[in-house]
Amino acid sequence: MKRLWEKITLKGQVMLFASLVVLLSLMILSLFMGYKQTNQTKEYLAEKVRMSANHIANHTLVRDSLLAGESNQTLIEVIELIRTENDLLYIVVMDNDKVRFTHPVREQIGQIFVGTDADRVFTGERYVSENVGTLGRSMRAFHPVWDDVGNQIGAVSVGISTDAIANAVLENELMLILVTAISLMIGLIGAWLLANRLKKTLNGMEPKEIALAVQERDSMLEAVDDGILAINNAGEVLLVNDTAKQFLRRTGYQGHFEHTPIHLIWPELKLPKALATTSAFYNELVKKGDVETVVTCVPMYVHQECVGALATFKERSHLNDMMRQLVGAEVYAHSLRSETHEFMNKLHIIQAMVETESYLELKDYIEDLSDRYHLKTASAASEVEKLVEDVSIAHYLTKQISWMEQMGVSVHLQSGVSWPSMNAEFIDVWVTVIGNTFENAWEAMQHKDDKRITLTLKQVGGVLRYVIEDNGVGFSSNEQGKALKSTKKGDRGYGLANIQQKLRPFNGTIDILSEQEKGTIITVHIPFKGRGKQHN
């Protein structure tokens, strides 16, 4: 049954459901109205025979005949005329001995009235009952007849066939059936119009297709690496994917998302402005807490009406990583081309030595190539593990050095006593120091042909020393002061203020020595004695 229902289209389901509702409602109404009409018909007919009996009981001919003790032709004809005009089954006038003075069947005149329900009328009571007489089952009214001094001289019984009641009820039921059919037809037309309206509103899609489209949309939203936020025309959050939720939680917002005004979640975002002005804002820098993002805000339209606004964003650090990867790939490709050219030259030299049978020179040449290769592969990055015992910092520093070498930077390491293992808070500080200083060094050198960095790691008297020297564009004295205060992305020396802030809880210091067009030396000291892992 469930599978059959699922096979029916939305239009068919709406029409069928609406029709069943209308039909059930009409059936209940018909039963109620039929019951009520039946009772009303019975009451009406009962009142009719009651009034007829009352009228005949007070008729002069009836009184005179009962006082005379015999029926007469005039009485019989008058009573029969009244009976036929009022569509009654019978009218019987009888004396106190139940002898009939009138009856539709002439042979019954003079006979005893049939029915035990006639007894009460001779006690002066007026009433209506149902019983079976010589003409079949009928509803009949009884009324006593009195003379002028109030003595009962007889009675009148007026009957109407129960078939007449059934016919009246049937007429009412047929009318109800007709009304029900017409109402059902109107309901079907209304259901058809409603189904068409729904289909048009849903762009002709079936419920299964809508559910599938919603699931596909959710899957696509969660698969996107960018954060996505959408608001309705009231400025409340309509949609937010997991990437955006994780970012907002990480940067300080801990409340609900759906139906929350956007200014309570991220006030700096230009979604309300994009909605109000129906203008788009592309690739703008927007901060959330201490994190910078690159945001695009665009209005959303449905049937050429602006119904909300959508924002997509990515952390700037992620974009910087991608740019580094692209630049690194470019440098690597250029390096491969150079290596290929150099390799072909070496092959030509080897070929020439073979052809001239200069085998001793060939042996010396190959040994020289081998020595130079091993010297080149023993890069500064491979020496990091000798300088830093902590695996986390060693791995991070190796990664930074490798990236610099890929970018064409010559990295030279100097050391004294190696750095020991550290706890989590120290690791966090040094990751900030290394990351920001390497980034500033690269920014200072990226436009120079000859790029060089000298890195010094030492431990002196319980103090960890970190020195990084580059041959970049350097700082002026004025810029050096600003570098330790600036927290705005894009300013020269961005990140040095962050380092200084990280160092304060550990009594660390940072010094800058720089000369324009010659380079910069950044020195960081952090007291370490008694704060390693062994003391946790």
mmCIF file of all heavy atoms in Angstrom, residues 163-190:
data_model
loop_
_atom_site.group_PDB
_atom_site.id
_atom_site.type_symbol
_atom_site.label_atom_id
_atom_site.label_comp_id
_atom_site.label_asym_id
_atom_site.label_seq_id
_atom_site.Cartn_x
_atom_site.Cartn_y
_atom_site.Cartn_z
ATOM 1 N N ASP A 163 -45.749 4.588 5.132
ATOM 2 C CA ASP A 163 -45.109 4.676 3.815
ATOM 3 C C ASP A 163 -44.931 6.132 3.399
ATOM 4 O O ASP A 163 -43.938 6.491 2.750
ATOM 5 C CB ASP A 163 -45.946 3.942 2.764
ATOM 6 C CG ASP A 163 -45.951 2.437 2.982
ATOM 7 O OD1 ASP A 163 -45.034 1.951 3.678
ATOM 8 O OD2 ASP A 163 -46.851 1.760 2.464
ATOM 9 N N ALA A 164 -45.873 6.952 3.791
ATOM 10 C CA ALA A 164 -45.757 8.378 3.485
ATOM 11 C C ALA A 164 -44.570 8.981 4.219
ATOM 12 O O ALA A 164 -43.849 9.841 3.692
ATOM 13 C CB ALA A 164 -47.039 9.106 3.872
ATOM 14 N N ILE A 165 -44.375 8.501 5.461
ATOM 15 C CA ILE A 165 -43.207 8.973 6.218
ATOM 16 C C ILE A 165 -41.925 8.533 5.510
ATOM 17 O O ILE A 165 -40.991 9.317 5.342
ATOM 18 C CB ILE A 165 -43.246 8.419 7.653
ATOM 19 C CG1 ILE A 165 -44.500 8.916 8.383
ATOM 20 C CG2 ILE A 165 -41.995 8.804 8.415
ATOM 21 C CD1 ILE A 165 -44.704 8.305 9.755
ATOM 22 N N ALA A 166 -41.880 7.251 5.108
ATOM 23 C CA ALA A 166 -40.700 6.723 4.420
ATOM 24 C C ALA A 166 -40.431 7.474 3.116
ATOM 25 O O ALA A 166 -39.289 7.769 2.774
ATOM 26 C CB ALA A 166 -40.874 5.237 4.153
ATOM 27 N N ASN A 167 -41.513 7.795 2.388
ATOM 28 C CA ASN A 167 -41.332 8.524 1.122
ATOM 29 C C ASN A 167 -40.785 9.923 1.357
ATOM 30 O O ASN A 167 -39.926 10.411 0.605
ATOM 31 C CB ASN A 167 -42.682 8.608 0.385
ATOM 32 C CG ASN A 167 -43.123 7.256 -0.130
ATOM 33 O OD1 ASN A 167 -42.298 6.371 -0.365
ATOM 34 N ND2 ASN A 167 -44.429 7.072 -0.300
ATOM 35 N N ALA A 168 -41.314 10.561 2.422
ATOM 36 C CA ALA A 168 -40.818 11.908 2.737
ATOM 37 C C ALA A 168 -39.344 11.861 3.127
ATOM 38 O O ALA A 168 -38.544 12.708 2.719
ATOM 39 C CB ALA A 168 -41.647 12.513 3.863
ATOM 40 N N VAL A 169 -38.978 10.842 3.938
ATOM 41 C CA VAL A 169 -37.573 10.689 4.333
ATOM 42 C C VAL A 169 -36.706 10.403 3.117
ATOM 43 O O VAL A 169 -35.600 10.928 2.973
ATOM 44 C CB VAL A 169 -37.428 9.575 5.387
ATOM 45 C CG1 VAL A 169 -35.962 9.264 5.636
ATOM 46 C CG2 VAL A 169 -38.122 9.977 6.681
ATOM 47 N N LEU A 170 -37.211 9.553 2.200
ATOM 48 C CA LEU A 170 -36.469 9.210 0.993
ATOM 49 C C LEU A 170 -36.225 10.446 0.128
ATOM 50 O O LEU A 170 -35.144 10.620 -0.432
ATOM 51 C CB LEU A 170 -37.228 8.142 0.195
ATOM 52 C CG LEU A 170 -36.560 7.678 -1.108
ATOM 53 C CD1 LEU A 170 -35.192 7.064 -0.804
ATOM 54 C CD2 LEU A 170 -37.448 6.671 -1.840
ATOM 55 N N GLU A 171 -37.241 11.292 0.019
ATOM 56 C CA GLU A 171 -37.072 12.527 -0.754
ATOM 57 C C GLU A 171 -35.955 13.384 -0.167
ATOM 58 O O GLU A 171 -35.119 13.947 -0.885
ATOM 59 C CB GLU A 171 -38.390 13.309 -0.779
ATOM 60 C CG GLU A 171 -39.456 12.668 -1.648
ATOM 61 C CD GLU A 171 -40.735 13.476 -1.626
ATOM 62 O OE1 GLU A 171 -40.716 14.584 -1.021
ATOM 63 O OE2 GLU A 171 -41.728 13.031 -2.204
ATOM 64 N N ASN A 172 -35.976 13.477 1.176
ATOM 65 C CA ASN A 172 -34.917 14.264 1.838
ATOM 66 C C ASN A 172 -33.528 13.650 1.612
ATOM 67 O O ASN A 172 -32.544 14.360 1.375
ATOM 68 C CB ASN A 172 -35.190 14.362 3.338
ATOM 69 C CG ASN A 172 -36.392 15.229 3.642
ATOM 70 O OD1 ASN A 172 -36.698 16.168 2.905
ATOM 71 N ND2 ASN A 172 -37.110 14.919 4.708
ATOM 72 N N GLU A 173 -33.470 12.300 1.687
ATOM 73 C CA GLU A 173 -32.183 11.629 1.484
ATOM 74 C C GLU A 173 -31.695 11.788 0.051
ATOM 75 O O GLU A 173 -30.490 11.972 -0.190
ATOM 76 C CB GLU A 173 -32.303 10.151 1.837
ATOM 77 C CG GLU A 173 -32.452 9.904 3.344
ATOM 78 C CD GLU A 173 -32.617 8.434 3.681
ATOM 79 O OE1 GLU A 173 -32.855 7.648 2.743
ATOM 80 O OE2 GLU A 173 -32.501 8.090 4.873
ATOM 81 N N LEU A 174 -32.611 11.709 -0.912
ATOM 82 C CA LEU A 174 -32.218 11.927 -2.301
ATOM 83 C C LEU A 174 -31.686 13.340 -2.510
ATOM 84 O O LEU A 174 -30.721 13.556 -3.250
ATOM 85 C CB LEU A 174 -33.425 11.668 -3.230
ATOM 86 C CG LEU A 174 -33.856 10.205 -3.357
ATOM 87 C CD1 LEU A 174 -35.133 10.095 -4.185
ATOM 88 C CD2 LEU A 174 -32.752 9.373 -4.006
ATOM 89 N N MET A 175 -32.314 14.285 -1.851
ATOM 90 C CA MET A 175 -31.830 15.662 -1.943
ATOM 91 C C MET A 175 -30.437 15.791 -1.342
ATOM 92 O O MET A 175 -29.543 16.459 -1.899
ATOM 93 C CB MET A 175 -32.801 16.591 -1.220
ATOM 94 C CG MET A 175 -32.408 18.069 -1.286
ATOM 95 S SD MET A 175 -32.352 18.698 -2.982
ATOM 96 C CE MET A 175 -34.102 18.654 -3.396
ATOM 97 N N LEU A 176 -30.223 15.109 -0.192
ATOM 98 C CA LEU A 176 -28.901 15.139 0.431
ATOM 99 C C LEU A 176 -27.848 14.474 -0.457
ATOM 100 O O LEU A 176 -26.708 14.938 -0.549
ATOM 101 C CB LEU A 176 -28.953 14.440 1.793
ATOM 102 C CG LEU A 176 -29.602 15.232 2.935
ATOM 103 C CD1 LEU A 176 -29.743 14.353 4.162
ATOM 104 C CD2 LEU A 176 -28.780 16.471 3.256
ATOM 105 N N ILE A 177 -28.222 13.367 -1.099
ATOM 106 C CA ILE A 177 -27.290 12.674 -1.999
ATOM 107 C C ILE A 177 -26.905 13.585 -3.160
ATOM 108 O O ILE A 177 -25.736 13.661 -3.566
ATOM 109 C CB ILE A 177 -27.908 11.360 -2.507
ATOM 110 C CG1 ILE A 177 -28.017 10.352 -1.358
ATOM 111 C CG2 ILE A 177 -27.076 10.773 -3.644
ATOM 112 C CD1 ILE A 177 -28.788 9.097 -1.706
ATOM 113 N N LEU A 178 -27.904 14.297 -3.689
ATOM 114 C CA LEU A 178 -27.626 15.217 -4.794
ATOM 115 C C LEU A 178 -26.677 16.334 -4.346
ATOM 116 O O LEU A 178 -25.701 16.662 -5.046
ATOM 117 C CB LEU A 178 -28.947 15.800 -5.308
ATOM 118 C CG LEU A 178 -28.830 16.809 -6.458
ATOM 119 C CD1 LEU A 178 -28.192 16.147 -7.684
ATOM 120 C CD2 LEU A 178 -30.200 17.388 -6.815
ATOM 121 N N VAL A 179 -26.986 16.883 -3.167
ATOM 122 C CA VAL A 179 -26.116 17.949 -2.635
ATOM 123 C C VAL A 179 -24.701 17.414 -2.386
ATOM 124 O O VAL A 179 -23.711 18.081 -2.663
ATOM 125 C CB VAL A 179 -26.731 18.529 -1.337
ATOM 126 C CG1 VAL A 179 -25.736 19.470 -0.655
ATOM 127 C CG2 VAL A 179 -28.031 19.261 -1.645
ATOM 128 N N THR A 180 -24.614 16.175 -1.859
ATOM 129 C CA THR A 180 -23.307 15.562 -1.606
ATOM 130 C C THR A 180 -22.525 15.380 -2.903
ATOM 131 O O THR A 180 -21.321 15.663 -2.959
ATOM 132 C CB THR A 180 -23.498 14.193 -0.919
ATOM 133 O OG1 THR A 180 -24.169 14.385 0.327
ATOM 134 C CG2 THR A 180 -22.153 13.528 -0.660
ATOM 135 N N ALA A 181 -23.196 14.916 -3.942
ATOM 136 C CA ALA A 181 -22.523 14.711 -5.228
ATOM 137 C C ALA A 181 -22.002 16.028 -5.795
ATOM 138 O O ALA A 181 -20.873 16.117 -6.284
ATOM 139 C CB ALA A 181 -23.472 14.040 -6.212
ATOM 140 N N ILE A 182 -22.858 17.057 -5.708
ATOM 141 C CA ILE A 182 -22.445 18.374 -6.220
ATOM 142 C C ILE A 182 -21.264 18.908 -5.406
ATOM 143 O O ILE A 182 -20.285 19.430 -5.950
ATOM 144 C CB ILE A 182 -23.620 19.367 -6.184
ATOM 145 C CG1 ILE A 182 -24.720 18.907 -7.162
ATOM 146 C CG2 ILE A 182 -23.158 20.774 -6.528
ATOM 147 C CD1 ILE A 182 -26.004 19.702 -7.086
ATOM 148 N N SER A 183 -21.348 18.746 -4.059
ATOM 149 C CA SER A 183 -20.262 19.224 -3.190
ATOM 150 C C SER A 183 -18.968 18.464 -3.466
ATOM 151 O O SER A 183 -17.889 19.047 -3.472
ATOM 152 C CB SER A 183 -20.659 19.058 -1.719
ATOM 153 O OG SER A 183 -21.826 19.792 -1.417
ATOM 154 N N LEU A 184 -19.091 17.144 -3.691
ATOM 155 C CA LEU A 184 -17.906 16.346 -3.996
ATOM 156 C C LEU A 184 -17.272 16.794 -5.306
ATOM 157 O O LEU A 184 -16.045 16.870 -5.429
ATOM 158 C CB LEU A 184 -18.279 14.865 -4.060
ATOM 159 C CG LEU A 184 -17.127 13.887 -4.321
ATOM 160 C CD1 LEU A 184 -16.072 14.005 -3.223
ATOM 161 C CD2 LEU A 184 -17.640 12.453 -4.397
ATOM 162 N N MET A 185 -18.109 17.103 -6.278
ATOM 163 C CA MET A 185 -17.594 17.579 -7.557
ATOM 164 C C MET A 185 -16.859 18.911 -7.385
ATOM 165 O O MET A 185 -15.765 19.110 -7.929
ATOM 166 C CB MET A 185 -18.753 17.753 -8.552
ATOM 167 C CG MET A 185 -18.296 18.095 -9.957
ATOM 168 S SD MET A 185 -17.287 16.790 -10.704
ATOM 169 C CE MET A 185 -18.512 15.487 -10.836
ATOM 170 N N ILE A 186 -17.454 19.797 -6.583
ATOM 171 C CA ILE A 186 -16.796 21.084 -6.317
ATOM 172 C C ILE A 186 -15.478 20.850 -5.575
ATOM 173 O O ILE A 186 -14.459 21.504 -5.848
ATOM 174 C CB ILE A 186 -17.734 22.002 -5.503
ATOM 175 C CG1 ILE A 186 -18.961 22.371 -6.345
ATOM 176 C CG2 ILE A 186 -17.000 23.258 -5.044
ATOM 177 C CD1 ILE A 186 -20.029 23.123 -5.579
ATOM 178 N N GLY A 187 -15.493 19.897 -4.606
ATOM 179 C CA GLY A 187 -14.269 19.569 -3.869
ATOM 180 C C GLY A 187 -13.183 19.032 -4.786
ATOM 181 O O GLY A 187 -12.002 19.370 -4.628
ATOM 182 N N LEU A 188 -13.554 18.176 -5.744
ATOM 183 C CA LEU A 188 -12.583 17.635 -6.696
ATOM 184 C C LEU A 188 -11.980 18.744 -7.560
ATOM 185 O O LEU A 188 -10.770 18.767 -7.812
ATOM 186 C CB LEU A 188 -13.245 16.584 -7.585
ATOM 187 C CG LEU A 188 -13.480 15.206 -6.946
ATOM 188 C CD1 LEU A 188 -14.334 14.345 -7.855
ATOM 189 C CD2 LEU A 188 -12.150 14.519 -6.663
ATOM 190 N N ILE A 189 -12.829 19.656 -7.997
ATOM 191 C CA ILE A 189 -12.329 20.780 -8.805
ATOM 192 C C ILE A 189 -11.374 21.633 -7.971
ATOM 193 O O ILE A 189 -10.299 22.035 -8.433
ATOM 194 C CB ILE A 189 -13.507 21.625 -9.331
ATOM 195 C CG1 ILE A 189 -14.352 20.789 -10.320
ATOM 196 C CG2 ILE A 189 -12.999 22.898 -10.008
ATOM 197 C CD1 ILE A 189 -15.638 21.458 -10.757
ATOM 198 N N GLY A 190 -11.766 21.904 -6.697
ATOM 199 C CA GLY A 190 -10.896 22.673 -5.807
ATOM 200 C C GLY A 190 -9.583 21.960 -5.551
ATOM 201 O O GLY A 190 -8.513 22.592 -5.535
#
